[in-house]
Amino acid sequence: MTVDSQPILDGDRRALARAITLVESTRRDHRAEASALLEAIMPNTGNAIRVGISGAPGVGKSTFIEALGNHVIEQGLKPAVLTVDPSSTISGGSILGDKTRMETLARRPEAFIRPSPSGTTLGGVTRRSRETLLLCEAAGFDVIIVETVGVGQSETRVADMTDMFVLLLQPGAGDQLQGIKRGIMELADLILINQADDGRESLAENSAREYRHALHLLRPRSQNWTVEVATCSARDGQGIDAAWDAVQRRQAALDDSGELASMRAAQSRTWLWTEVQESLLADLREQLGSVDLFAELEDAVADGRLPAKTAADQLLDYFLK
Ligand code: GDP
């Protein structure tokens, strides 16, 4: 499977889709080709606004992304969406597919939507989402939206690959606030109380006020941006322009101050070490899988005959020789 970089740079959708399939492949020969391809497109990456979007199932993520995507297209920009395909968990990735999510956006020639099954990945975010994001940038997309379902760990991954993290919440009383993992709140750069419609406008405003108050108690993550909380109705298209405005203002503030560049550099460093760690671990498992010592030590640890640390040291000694 060889993918030439030029058609991707020319904006050929099918070439982009094939390239994403290549980087997602776990086959060893594919990995080598994917690396070569990514190296070739690297100079053409980095020009998009990278936005992570999270929220519990049913909060309105896909409705919001569709509204935001259509809005940025009206601004003359091209959005790419790395989305979660929730139905694939149930259907095993067959027929139900992602057909009904973001239908109008999917039909726009300016947009590109790439679903990942949520069942086989961490909240729809894979080890390769970052590479997919770079490929979309090389293909000329101006805004890359990375969606994840609110499961905790995946948010950290998304925050590690995007410039900005948007958290969608529903209107609700203070006890709802207790339910959100504090860690996720700490990642958010913009909090949107969605579904501020059908008589829930003032409830949404109250929730927004409570979150603003709660945010005062958190240490600010950036010196150049104060986390904003707003209400919106993705269904009615209310507050979408204000949300996009906030995204742009934050991007400008971080860019002007140099924070964007240093944040992306730090993310790339983290990415390098994650790759090293995961590749080493995969190699280790593959090599040790066929070694008797491995099974013996594992049994000994499971039976409580050997401390895990001792066994780990022995395994590493063996591997490094
Ligand atoms: P997701 O699971 O977070 O992607 O949520 P969806 O976008 O699929 O929305 C879940 C349900 O909430 C759907 O029935 C939507 O029509 C509805 N919904 C989404 N946004 C809004 C909104 O702003 N207001 C109202 N009233 N309903 C909404």
Side-chain angles (χ1 to χ4, degrees):
M1 187 176 182
T2 324
V3 178
D4 185 15
S5 64
Q6 197 53 49
I8 299 168
L9 301 180
D10 293 340
D12 178 339
R13 302 304 168 86
R14 286 185 41 207
L16 174 60
R18 282 182 54 220
I20 295 173
T21 304
L22 177 68
V23 303
E24 285 177 347
S25 170
T26 50
R27 268 178 48 179
R28 230 169 236 278
D29 52 332
H30 285 174
R31 288 305 312 153
E33 281 171 39
S35 292
L37 176 64
L38 287 163
E39 218 180 296
I41 57 118
M42 257 343 242
N44 302 85
T45 63
N47 298 318
I49 300 188
R50 305 164 177 175
V51 185
I53 293 185
S54 174
V59 68
K61 289 182 299 300
S62 73
T63 312
F64 176 79
I65 292 170
E66 181 155 50
L68 185 71
N70 282 311
H71 180 74
V72 304
I73 290 172
E74 282 160 26
Q75 315 295 309
L77 300 172
K78 292 191 293 173
V81 184
L82 313 187
T83 173
V84 184
D85 176 2
S87 55
S88 61
T89 323
I90 309 151
S91 67
S94 64
I95 236 111
L96 289 172
D98 204 33
K99 292 289 178 285
T100 53
R101 293 187 98 222
M102 305 176 203
E103 221 172 336
T104 67
L105 189 61
R107 280 201 297 267
R108 301 289 296 253
E110 300 91 339
F112 179 80
I113 299 182
R114 178 77 181 194
S116 305
S118 61
T120 54
T121 59
L122 191 65
V125 184
T126 70
R127 252 180 93 180
R128 301 295 157 214
S129 296
R130 212 195 135 97
E131 291 166 3
T132 302
L133 183 152
L134 294 175
L135 286 168
C136 290
E137 283 187 343
F141 290 94
D142 309 290
V143 185
I144 320 286
I145 297 172
V146 187
E147 181 197 21
T148 178
V149 285
V151 294
Q153 235 182 324
S154 65
E155 272 76 10
T156 314
R157 278 207 180 202
V158 170
D160 273 346
M161 67 176 91
T162 52
D163 302 328
M164 171 160 195
F165 194 78
V166 180
L167 179 62
L168 289 192
L169 297 169
Q170 278 179 345
D175 52 349
Q176 191 205 354
L177 206 150
Q178 310 298 318
I180 312 175
K181 293 190 190 76
R182 197 188 149 96
I184 295 180
M185 275 271 283
E186 282 171 353
L187 292 176
D189 300 301
L190 175 64
I191 294 179
L192 295 173
I193 318 293
N194 189 37
Q195 305 193 14
D197 50 39
D198 289 350
R200 279 179 300 175
E201 293 84 351
S202 62
L203 181 61
E205 280 303 333
N206 286 342
S207 307
R209 212 168 300 127
E210 282 183 49
Y211 285 113
R212 272 182 214 116
H213 184 72
L215 283 167
H216 281 308
L217 308 173
L218 296 180
R219 220 163 57 98
R221 273 204 308 151
S222 164
Q223 291 191 331
N224 303 294
W225 177 254
T226 308
V227 181
E228 293 185 8
V229 185
T231 65
C232 70
S233 168
R235 188 197 64 185
D236 299 347
Q238 289 286 336
I240 303 302
D241 48 353
W244 177 240
D245 182 62
V247 171
Q248 285 181 304
R249 279 186 289 112
R250 181 176 183 280
Q251 197 77 358
L254 264 66
D255 204 3
D256 292 347
S257 62
E259 187 176 340
L260 186 67
S262 59
M263 184 177 78
R264 284 184 172 185
Q267 288 175 334
S268 295
R269 264 185 223 114
T270 306
W271 184 26
L272 164 66
W273 285 106
T274 306
E275 284 296 332
V276 169
Q277 200 177 325
E278 293 187 357
S279 298
L280 263 182
L281 210 58
D283 279 0
L284 186 77
R285 279 186 199 283
E286 197 180 305
Q287 288 197 27
L288 292 182
S290 57
V291 174
D292 290 339
L293 175 71
F294 182 63
E296 282 166 29
L297 288 172
E298 211 179 28
D299 286 346
V301 171
D303 294 347
R305 281 179 281 126
L306 206 62
K309 170 79 174 116
T310 312
D313 286 346
Q314 288 187 29
L315 284 176
L316 283 176
D317 275 350
Y318 183 91
F319 180 70
L320 295 171
K321 266 178 223 144

